[in-house]
Amino acid sequence: MKHKALIVGRIAALLGILQMLCGCWDRTEINDMALVTAAAIDKDERDGIELSLQVFMPRALGSNSGGSQGGGGQKLTLVRSSRGQNIADAVSKIQTKLPRKVFWGHCKVFVLGEEFARKGVREEMDFLARHPQPRERAYMFVSKGKAIETLNLLPPLERYSADMMRKLSELKIGLKVTMKDFIIMLGGDSKAAALPMLDILPPEEGEQPSQGVPYIAGTAVFKEDKLIGDITLQTTRGVLWLTKKMEKATITVRPKDAKSGFITINPNHHVIHQTPRIVNGKWQVLLSIQTSGDLVQNGTNWDPMNLDLLHAMEAAVQDSIKDKIELALDEVQKTMKADILGFAEDFHRSYPRQWGRVKNRWDEVYPTIQVKTDIHVNIRRPGLSTVPVAIPEDEVKKK
Amino acid sequence: MRNLHRLLGQSKKPYFRSVQQPSRAATTSPLSNDQQTNVETLRKIYSNSVDVVFRSFLIGGKTQATLIYIEGLSDTEEINTNLLRPLMEEFEEGLSLRQLFEKKVNISKIDALSTYEDCVEALSVGKPVLFHEGDSSGYALGLNRWDKRAIEEPEAEAGIRGPREGFTETISVSTAQLRRIIKSPALKIEPVKIGSYTQTQVLISYVEGIVDKNILEEVRTRLSRIEIDGVLESSYVEEMIEDNPFSPFPQVKTTERPDTACNAILEGRVAILTEGTPFVLIVPTTLFSLLQSQEDYYQRFLISTLIRWLRYTFVTLSMLLPSLYVAILTFHLEMVPTSLLITMSASRESVPFPALVEALLMEVTFEVLREAGVRLPKQVGAAVSIVGALVIGQAAVQAGIVSAPMVIVVAITGIASFMVPRYNIGIAFRILRFPVMFLAGALGLLGIMLGLIAILIHLCNLRSFGIPYLSPIAPFRSADLKDVAMRAPWWMMNTRPHQTEEEFNQYRQAPAQKPGPDRNK
Amino acid sequence: MLEKGKISSAQMAFMLFAAVVGTVILSIPAISGTYAKNDVWISPIWASFAGLIAIMTAYKLQSFYPKLTIIQYAARILGPFPGKLLGLAYLLFYIVMNGHGVRIYADFIVGTTLPRTPLIILVATMILLCTLAVRGGIEGIGRAAQIIVPGYMIAFIALILLILPNCNAEHLFPILEHGLTPSLQGSIPPQGWFAEFFLISFLLPFLSDKKKAKKWSWVALITTTLTLVVTNLVILCLFGRNISSYTYPLLTATRYISLADFFENVESVITAIWVIGNFVKFSVVHYALVLGTAQWLNLSDYRPVAWPIGILTIIISFWSMPSQMALSHYTTFVFPFYSLLFQTLIPALLLLIAYIRMRDSKGDHSS
């Protein structure tokens, strides 16, 4: 019994000591934190970088609490930037201008400036991977022009521009690349990486200059860790098909035999197989795509209930997908010669020995790889109308 | 001998002698043949006591007799009509008192007493004692009656379905309530007297054949070890028989419901009834039995199972929620979803206190309000709760002293702690909340974990009458899980719960009693 | 006998599981991955043979000397002086092992969640709790393990399920690109941990149901192996073959969990659960150490040595290692060989000697 009293006493004493000491450890009140919502990295005039942080201002939200939160155009964040040799250096300098401690845990967006990306990003990625606060799930972007400009924007629909960029990325219209993905790509066999490219839609007339909207304009292509160029959103679609990342697509085509008008389908279920093969010493990639979706709009006079015409529509969509893929291959594989399609990994997995031999001259092998496509489109449902709408019945082509 | 020592408020133990009673008479001796001597001795024992009445009269107008009783404990009307009147009437000669009792006195229970000690005992429970010239024994008459509370519904343990009666302060009523439920003669009720002055009757109640003999023996020895002035409530007994007096966790279950007590007795536990209090102690007790309500057995089993899970969850929450709030808000900001954090940081912007202080402030305020609510008279209680709700809710938030999320946390914690059907275990968790909160303020989630580990170590080593406190989870007894992890329907509860490794009366009912339409085919 | 408590075989299995998986689970993919790359998930299977040997020898020795621990039967087998010397070596081995274990734990916490908290606080609170547990006796530790380890496993399974959507099975290929060698090389560090199954020799004497002991120790071994295989598989599928670039791959993986944009960044929760698993590990080793010391010194009670040995463990955790890198180097290159020497090789030799002695003495009786 006696020793139990002692133990209770000991624990109480320990608790007391803990409490006395805890002030100087890791306890940080939320009021002393500067929540970074986005960070932008640019090249400065000399060798270093310029880091900009978008920091959330709680007071701005607190002032009109109870009402609508923030609302369009109201400034919830402030942007602070500083120059430095690297991120760590720049952060320490920004910290001198911020009364609150920089907290990276909620930074979901990192924007790399175009010029900075051309110089090489590896050095700064190390900070993001090593520091325990920045999240591996944060989204990475490259911006056309200076990255800081994307942070200064006040998009009307979202609370702050970082939120906007994150949501755009999650829509998966372009690429969606997290920090982890980017780091894996940079360190992978392909030695190439791709990031979504941001551009700024200029504000409408009469709006504040800061009311521009960032949007995903294409894909930035990295070789080694340097930006070598970018491709358009159209080409990006081809890349998405090639890298099996296609999720939502809206394909609009004019069937060859149709007199006028376009049809649009919304494929939403894809089965994509990418099979690397070495046939007679020739390196090939067989891409088989099976996709299915609903008819969304039919501007032609074709009746989709007719199976022949339906097949013709499907063929047209297939051609469209094939065109996109070829466009992507042309730009990425033939022109840029950057393996953002991950062919190196594929061959490494399937043909480890052969890959081992070409490993060091992959740059030469990569552009010579043939890509064979095998695309099947299946239009599953016509939607709520059968025949084309609003044209006289006798003009509808039923056969 | 032992009882005699107690009677005079003294002990065999030497250090107890300094508090001996002055009126120490030769009570050990048997009653004398002379009724005058007997009466004088008793007068000496009960000196300076106005409430003890000595009534001398002549039986049949001849024989000297004295009736002694304590006012308020005996039924004076009965004494007048059924004892004094028939005895004081004239009647034929030669009848001994014994014959008189047989012929004249219509009282159901009359015991012969042979020592002073017996007399005192009989008097103290309200039985009038009759002395009679030329007889060396006194007679205790079963005319004890005193005012008692009616049987009422226990307020602290109310339920929606189930018997509405509760124990009362009168122990004979309580035993009757037990006996009314368990009619088998296997229900045993053993007496023990505790308290050298109060002479409180404590009863050990169990069902023979189900109870574990070792536990019963342990209960007997622990009760007999108690040397104390008085027992005013069963908690006196509880504190004297606990395994670990320093633990915040109660190792004895208390109830004021006869059905709860009988359920425990039928599970092989021992109920300890104490005179003067409706609260019955049940031993041995495990953590999980404390978290169960008797009503769990009265509602449909699916519902009871869900409610038990809910209760387990919220008991844990009542201990951890404020700590989690503190830990997450001061150490692990990244865990809060961004949009929620933005709102929370805005609402905490004007709060001047650190999160830990804020939480402590609110939790202490809540405890104060709760305690005040219990103590205050009913009419004032309502006012206090209104003021409390306004003060710790609306006003504090609007004044910017605490943040709105904190108020929500405190409210949930408060409500959660009342999910527990038993006050004493609920308060144990509530108290542990504070050290865990300090740990959370020092080390974040890690601190909470360390606190939990410490509590777990304590619980793992805690026993109630030799039974591991966490059984049947640790040590694991899969057969007993049916009444802990869930509330199995009665047709599945074929085996009795049991905590020791001893052989026991395993089956409580016939197997395969699952009801259904085609059972009889 | 010093210990009067009894534990069940299931409790023993839980204790062993925690003792082996405890610290290793966070860093094993990285440690094995340095060599094994794509075949990292095969390594624990090879390593489990070390555990098999440890358990088998402990059993055989136990059958010769029931109710004794290695500290006691070492003296019986080798004679009083060499036996005591070996016993001392064992105690030193275990105290160093526990010291380093606690240091790994504290370094992890400081490195990931509480950068400014002094190491001594983390080490001391953990040892304080372990000592409290040890003073409660083996029954208390057994029960704590019985409650903690199932929770630990449920959390582990939930974690794996949450990571799974982010996984890409293609990272597994090519399997056995460079033959068996990489996976065998990668299995050496985990062998050091699997050898810790020899701790069973401190638990076997106190079982209440010896008949089930064998079954449950296999269960412990298989579950441990499975846990590590699954961990490595999932981590490999998430990060590809360069997992050795992460200090704590499992932690980084949990940081990647996201459920409906709400349940995110839960690594602190995982850390907390990992801590509670570690507590069981350190308690078991601490108990073995305290009991062993008491037996070595022929004390009548082991509780009085619990505090001093706890304090020694704290000191040792600070002594040897200047940095986490050095500690990592030690656990990869030095500890496995120590561990295998003490927990498989020496027991096997003891068994051999015991066997020969037994045979000789039997021979004497028959002649």
Side-chain angles (χ1 to χ4, degrees):
Chain A
M1 287 305 126
K2 213 175 189 180
H3 76 266
K4 278 185 181 141
L6 262 175
I7 288 168
V8 172
R10 277 192 196 115
I11 291 172
L14 188 84
L15 276 179
I17 295 166
L18 272 179
Q19 222 40 51
M20 274 185 272
L21 292 172
C22 78
C24 48
W25 299 344
D26 295 288
R27 194 171 58 83
T28 16
E29 294 302 321
I30 191 169
N31 309 26
D32 304 329
M33 288 284 199
L35 299 182
V36 177
T37 50
I41 309 166
D42 285 303
K43 186 178 151 349
D44 74 349
E45 295 86 48
R46 280 160 296 161
D47 255 359
I49 59 144
E50 182 182 6
L51 176 75
S52 319
L53 301 182
Q54 190 185 47
V55 178
F56 173 71
M57 296 186 294
R59 205 165 289 274
L61 192 61
S63 59
N64 65 343
S65 64
S68 65
Q69 289 179 341
Q74 206 215 341
K75 216 174 166 190
L76 279 182
T77 54
L78 65 94
V79 177
R80 285 277 176 278
S81 52
S82 204
R83 300 205 168 123
Q85 295 306 314
N86 56 22
I87 296 190
D89 186 31
V91 170
S92 70
K93 284 177 182 160
I94 289 182
Q95 191 69 75
T96 60
K97 304 180 199 166
L98 271 176
R100 301 185 174 199
K101 200 172 170 300
V102 170
F103 180 69
W104 291 94
H106 280 275
C107 181
K108 294 213 171 131
V109 170
F110 288 96
V111 188
L112 311 175
E114 199 176 347
E115 269 187 66
F116 163 73
R118 284 189 195 283
K119 212 189 77 186
V121 298
R122 196 210 65 79
E123 242 181 274
E124 310 311 330
M125 291 311 292
D126 185 82
F127 173 83
L128 300 182
R130 195 174 297 279
H131 197 292
Q133 277 180 4
R135 315 304 305 184
E136 283 81 2
R137 223 188 167 82
Y139 298 117
M140 307 284 302
F141 299 91
V142 173
S143 77
K144 277 199 169 141
K146 289 205 81 172
I148 183 173
E149 285 164 24
T150 58
L151 301 193
N152 277 324
L153 297 175
L154 293 174
L157 208 54
E158 298 297 335
R159 293 204 264 195
Y160 42 87
S161 63
D163 220 19
M164 170 108 186
M165 291 185 252
R166 178 180 66 84
K167 283 186 177 166
L168 276 177
S169 203
E170 278 168 4
L171 278 178
K172 290 184 185 167
I173 291 164
L175 278 177
K176 182 186 109 171
V177 185
T178 64
M179 197 164 94
K180 179 211 86 173
D181 297 336
F182 189 55
I183 291 171
I184 290 181
M185 277 196 271
L186 287 178
D189 292 329
S190 311
K191 292 176 184 162
L195 286 183
M197 190 84 169
L198 282 176
D199 201 355
I200 296 168
L201 194 69
E204 302 282 309
E205 227 172 281
E207 279 181 339
Q208 305 263 327
S210 65
Q211 278 185 317
V213 176
Y215 72 100
I216 293 176
T219 301
V221 180
F222 285 76
K223 204 164 176 186
E224 309 272 283
D225 67 328
K226 294 181 178 66
L227 178 73
I228 54 162
D230 66 293
I231 53 178
T232 62
L233 201 54
Q234 285 301 311
T235 321
T236 306
R237 312 296 295 167
V239 173
L240 287 178
W241 285 116
L242 277 160
T243 49
K244 302 191 274 186
K245 282 177 186 157
M246 179 56 83
E247 286 201 8
K248 288 169 197 158
T250 304
I251 301 166
T252 305
V253 286
R254 182 202 292 273
K256 257 181 271 165
D257 307 328
K259 265 183 251 155
S260 67
F262 291 87
I263 61 159
T264 301
I265 74 156
N266 234 352
N268 48 21
H269 184 78
H270 321 284
V271 181
I272 308 174
H273 287 290
Q274 196 191 38
T275 325
R277 289 194 307 194
I278 300 180
V279 186
N280 304 328
K282 280 184 181 172
W283 292 45
Q284 294 177 339
V285 171
L286 186 70
L287 184 73
S288 98
I289 300 174
Q290 285 175 22
T291 178
S292 57
D294 295 1
L295 189 60
V296 181
Q297 189 173 353
N298 181 6
T300 63
N301 59 350
W302 290 10
D303 178 8
M305 303 311 277
N306 180 301
L307 291 186
D308 290 336
L309 292 174
L310 185 74
H311 290 317
M313 286 180 180
E314 287 174 350
V317 176
Q318 279 164 17
D319 288 345
S320 156
I321 295 176
K322 197 171 179 185
D323 286 348
K324 293 240 177 73
I325 290 173
E326 262 156 25
L327 183 69
L329 284 173
D330 197 43
E331 282 196 34
V332 173
Q333 190 194 13
K334 303 280 166 7
T335 318
M336 291 185 178
K337 295 182 184 166
D339 185 11
I340 59 171
L341 307 174
F343 288 171
E345 287 284 341
D346 290 337
F347 278 103
H348 185 178
R349 278 177 201 133
S350 308
Y351 297 95
R353 222 163 291 149
Q354 287 89 328
W355 190 83
R357 267 182 252 130
V358 302
K359 199 164 132 185
N360 296 324
R361 49 185 190 88
W362 178 246
D363 274 0
E364 297 160 35
V365 179
Y366 171 64
T368 65
I369 292 171
Q370 287 182 338
V371 177
K372 294 195 167 167
T373 50
D374 174 23
I375 305 170
H376 286 279
V377 174
N378 185 359
I379 302 178
R380 284 266 162 92
R381 281 162 292 264
L384 294 186
S385 319
T386 53
V387 293
V389 182
I391 49 173
E393 209 187 326
D394 52 342
E395 283 179 35
V396 173
K397 189 182 172 190
K398 294 208 170 175
K399 277 179 190 170
Chain B
M1 271 303 278
R2 186 186 171 81
N3 283 343
L4 185 72
H5 282 295
R6 293 181 161 197
L7 183 71
L8 296 174
Q10 67 174 33
S11 162
K12 292 161 286 181
K13 290 179 186 163
Y15 56 81
F16 229 155
R17 291 231 169 97
S18 55
V19 287
Q20 283 167 12
Q21 275 179 323
S23 65
R24 194 173 162 207
T27 51
T28 37
S29 53
L31 293 168
S32 115
N33 225 351
D34 176 27
Q35 85 65 49
Q36 208 54 43
T37 331
N38 289 340
V39 173
E40 281 314 310
T41 316
L42 277 173
R43 265 191 210 280
K44 230 182 253 169
I45 291 175
Y46 281 111
S47 62
N48 295 346
S49 311
V50 286
D51 59 334
V52 184
V53 179
F54 292 82
R55 167 76 160 85
S56 307
F57 63 100
L58 296 173
I59 297 179
K62 289 170 197 116
T63 329
Q64 187 69 38
T66 310
L67 181 73
I68 311 167
Y69 65 94
I70 297 176
E71 245 185 314
L73 289 185
S74 306
D75 192 339
T76 28
E77 221 163 276
E78 292 270 320
I79 293 173
N80 294 344
T81 54
N82 295 337
L83 184 75
L84 291 182
R85 186 181 297 160
L87 284 184
M88 286 164 85
E89 276 171 6
E90 300 274 332
F91 50 81
E92 65 263 49
E93 290 286 323
L95 283 179
S96 71
L97 192 61
R98 201 173 293 273
Q99 285 168 315
L100 270 176
F101 284 148
E102 279 168 9
K103 288 196 170 172
K104 296 271 181 187
V105 179
N106 38 349
I107 292 172
S108 62
K109 196 177 176 191
I110 297 176
D111 302 318
L113 309 167
S114 56
T115 62
Y116 291 111
E117 186 196 336
D118 292 342
C119 296
V120 170
E121 207 173 318
L123 283 171
S124 63
V125 298
K127 291 177 178 165
V129 171
L130 183 71
F131 290 114
H132 167 237
E133 185 62 57
D135 195 340
S136 66
S137 51
Y139 295 92
L141 312 165
L143 292 176
N144 47 334
R145 201 181 93 169
W146 58 87
D147 289 332
K148 52 197 171 198
R149 192 164 64 96
I151 292 176
E152 283 167 17
E153 186 178 358
E155 273 183 27
E157 272 181 87
I160 294 170
R161 182 168 172 180
R164 296 273 180 229
E165 64 172 13
F167 287 123
T168 61
E169 285 76 1
T170 317
I171 199 158
S172 55
V173 178
S174 302
T175 53
Q177 279 171 316
L178 287 186
R179 187 66 80 179
R180 262 207 324 253
I181 297 174
I182 306 177
K183 290 163 190 100
S184 157
L187 172 72
K188 305 292 177 196
I189 301 178
E190 289 178 13
V192 183
K193 275 230 160 66
I194 300 177
S196 36
Y197 288 91
T198 57
Q199 292 284 306
T200 314
Q201 195 169 24
V202 172
L203 301 178
I204 308 171
S205 165
Y206 56 91
V207 172
E208 202 165 36
I210 300 180
V211 72
D212 187 292
K213 295 231 166 55
N214 298 327
I215 291 173
L216 182 62
E217 203 42 55
E218 186 68 31
V219 173
R220 285 184 190 138
T221 34
R222 286 196 196 183
L223 283 177
S224 67
R225 271 205 305 254
I226 303 175
E227 298 272 355
I228 190 173
D229 262 10
V231 174
L232 304 186
E233 215 279 331
S234 52
S235 63
Y236 286 51
V237 179
E238 181 183 342
E239 284 191 19
M240 302 293 278
I241 59 173
E242 271 174 336
D243 290 55
N244 182 353
F246 293 104
S247 172
F249 291 94
Q251 294 132 59
V252 171
K253 180 169 163 176
T254 56
T255 182
E256 45 176 335
R257 288 176 60 144
D259 54 334
T260 311
C262 285
N263 182 52
I265 291 174
L266 288 176
E267 279 178 357
R269 299 176 206 272
V270 178
I272 302 171
L273 290 76
T274 311
E275 190 183 348
T277 175
F279 288 94
V280 169
L281 309 178
I282 291 165
V283 291
T285 298
T286 59
L287 179 68
F288 293 100
S289 74
L290 284 165
L291 292 177
Q292 290 168 3
S293 153
Q294 185 59 28
E295 208 186 325
D296 292 350
Y297 299 104
Y298 303 154
Q299 299 293 351
R300 298 182 63 77
F301 73 93
L302 278 175
I303 295 159
S304 297
T305 304
L306 276 175
I307 287 179
R308 277 193 181 171
W309 291 348
L310 208 62
R311 198 179 288 145
Y312 296 154
T313 319
F314 274 79
V315 166
T316 324
L317 266 192
S318 80
M319 186 170 65
L320 295 183
L321 199 62
S323 322
L324 284 174
Y325 176 83
V326 170
I328 289 176
L329 231 58
T330 48
F331 286 88
H332 312 286
L333 273 185
E334 71 277 357
M335 277 176 68
V336 190
T338 311
S339 47
L340 180 62
L341 182 71
I342 280 174
T343 334
M344 273 170 93
S345 73
S347 83
R348 258 197 68 77
E349 190 60 21
S350 58
V351 176
F353 305 114
L356 176 65
V357 175
E358 188 191 7
L360 277 177
L361 199 74
M362 291 299 284
E363 289 296 338
V364 171
T365 316
F366 176 79
E367 290 298 309
V368 168
L369 277 169
R370 188 193 49 75
E371 186 62 20
V374 174
R375 303 290 156 236
L376 283 170
K378 260 182 195 158
Q379 296 85 337
V380 193
V384 164
S385 59
I386 291 168
V387 170
L390 278 178
V391 167
I392 69 169
Q394 195 74 5
V397 173
Q398 279 189 350
I401 291 171
V402 294
S403 61
M406 185 69 234
V407 177
I408 299 172
V409 166
V410 172
I412 294 177
T413 317
I415 301 286
S417 67
F418 292 111
M419 283 282 290
V420 199
R422 263 154 242 297
Y423 186 75
N424 53 2
I425 187 78
I427 214 156
F429 281 114
R430 272 218 298 275
I431 286 171
L432 286 174
R433 184 167 68 188
F434 290 96
V436 177
M437 221 148 46
F438 277 114
L439 281 170
L443 293 169
L445 274 183
L446 176 74
I448 297 183
M449 270 301 156
L450 295 179
L452 279 182
I453 293 174
I455 294 170
L456 189 70
I457 297 171
H458 173 69
L459 286 176
C460 284
N461 289 322
L462 193 61
R463 285 165 177 273
S464 167
F465 283 76
I467 302 303
Y469 201 55
L470 286 181
S471 91
I473 301 291
F476 188 73
R477 290 182 62 92
S478 54
D480 291 353
L481 276 188
K482 60 184 182 297
D483 202 13
V484 168
M486 54 188 286
R487 202 284 273 171
W490 273 110
W491 41 265
M492 271 173 73
M493 295 218 243
N494 294 334
T495 51
R496 287 197 179 85
H498 195 76
Q499 290 86 19
T500 58
E501 297 298 321
E502 307 287 317
E503 287 292 306
F504 69 106
N505 190 349
Q506 201 178 355
Y507 295 99
R508 63 170 148 200
Q509 60 195 24
Q513 294 191 72
K514 184 184 173 187
D518 47 355
R519 262 204 80 197
N520 297 327
K521 276 176 200 166
Chain C
M1 212 142 98
L2 275 174
E3 175 65 66
K4 289 184 187 66
K6 290 270 176 217
I7 54 168
S8 71
S9 298
Q11 285 172 339
M12 178 193 77
F14 286 128
M15 288 156 91
L16 286 175
F17 173 84
V20 177
V21 171
T23 40
V24 74
I25 193 162
L26 276 180
S27 48
I28 179 104
I31 294 175
S32 296
T34 319
Y35 304 101
K37 301 277 177 193
N38 279 41
D39 302 327
V40 70
W41 57 277
I42 305 175
S43 295
I45 302 176
W46 302 133
S48 69
F49 287 104
L52 191 78
I53 294 167
I55 294 178
M56 298 268 267
T57 37
Y59 263 109
K60 269 276 166 269
L61 284 167
Q62 197 64 42
S63 65
F64 288 154
Y65 304 97
K67 297 187 176 181
L68 297 187
T69 70
I70 182 151
I71 307 292
Q72 292 167 312
Y73 54 65
R76 296 259 183 110
I77 295 171
L78 297 176
F81 185 69
K84 282 282 174 195
L85 211 60
L86 185 66
L88 183 66
Y90 266 95
L91 295 176
L92 286 177
F93 167 73
Y94 278 119
I95 199 167
V96 169
M97 182 175 109
N98 219 22
H100 285 158
V102 177
R103 178 63 183 269
I104 291 175
Y105 148 82
D107 266 336
F108 169 78
I109 298 289
V110 170
T112 56
T113 43
L114 305 172
R116 274 164 300 164
T117 305
L119 268 182
I120 180 76
I121 295 292
L122 298 171
V123 172
T125 44
M126 180 51 88
I127 290 294
L128 172 88
L129 289 175
C130 292
T131 310
L132 282 181
V134 168
R135 287 178 66 96
I138 194 168
E139 284 191 346
I141 304 177
R143 282 180 209 146
Q146 196 162 36
I147 291 173
I148 291 170
V149 174
Y152 189 86
M153 282 173 165
I154 291 168
F156 175 76
I157 291 166
L159 170 72
I160 296 299
L161 288 180
L162 285 170
I163 301 177
L164 225 46
N166 301 310
C167 285
N168 184 354
E170 284 177 0
H171 285 304
L172 291 181
F173 301 100
I175 295 171
L176 297 180
E177 184 183 357
H178 300 292
L180 285 174
T181 330
S183 63
L184 277 173
Q185 269 182 327
S187 82
I188 292 173
Q191 276 178 31
W193 277 285
F194 269 100
E196 284 173 28
F197 268 109
F198 189 69
L199 283 170
I200 197 175
S201 65
F202 286 93
L203 307 178
L204 281 176
F206 311 116
L207 288 186
S208 59
D209 47 351
K210 287 223 163 92
K211 278 178 198 155
K212 294 186 195 156
K214 225 166 201 162
K215 188 187 94 188
W216 277 104
S217 40
W218 299 144
V219 169
L221 182 65
I222 290 166
T223 336
T224 309
T225 315
L226 260 180
T227 311
L228 296 185
V229 168
V230 168
T231 314
N232 283 353
L233 264 179
V234 167
I235 300 295
L236 180 63
C237 288
L238 187 66
F239 293 122
R241 66 178 70 84
N242 289 326
I243 39 182
S244 59
S245 69
Y246 299 92
T247 324
Y248 306 111
L250 192 65
L251 179 90
T252 313
T254 43
R255 288 163 63 96
Y256 208 69
I257 289 175
S258 170
L259 200 69
D261 268 352
F262 192 85
F263 190 71
E264 282 184 318
N265 310 338
V266 289
E267 77 265 17
S268 313
V269 179
I270 299 303
T271 309
I273 291 164
W274 178 77
V275 166
I276 212 170
N278 265 349
F279 156 74
V280 178
K281 179 201 166 86
F282 300 141
S283 300
V284 172
V285 181
H286 194 49
Y287 174 77
L289 202 54
V290 169
L291 183 76
T293 311
Q295 288 172 340
W296 194 72
L297 296 171
N298 294 329
L299 300 180
S300 59
D301 187 11
Y302 62 88
R303 284 174 181 83
V305 286
W307 289 111
I309 286 185
I311 289 163
L312 258 178
T313 312
I314 296 175
I315 294 167
I316 282 170
S317 76
F318 280 94
W319 259 354
S320 37
M321 294 299 156
S323 67
Q324 197 181 336
M325 292 79 163
L327 193 54
S328 170
H329 187 269
Y330 170 84
T331 49
T332 322
F333 297 106
V334 185
F335 176 71
F337 301 101
Y338 264 137
S339 172
L340 286 173
L341 175 69
F342 274 100
Q343 304 189 96
T344 55
L345 206 60
I346 294 180
L349 282 176
L350 280 180
L351 182 63
L352 196 69
I353 298 168
Y355 184 70
I356 292 167
R357 285 201 163 187
M358 205 68 77
R359 204 187 53 188
D360 287 357
S361 63
K362 259 185 199 159
D364 291 345
H365 283 302
S366 60
S367 61

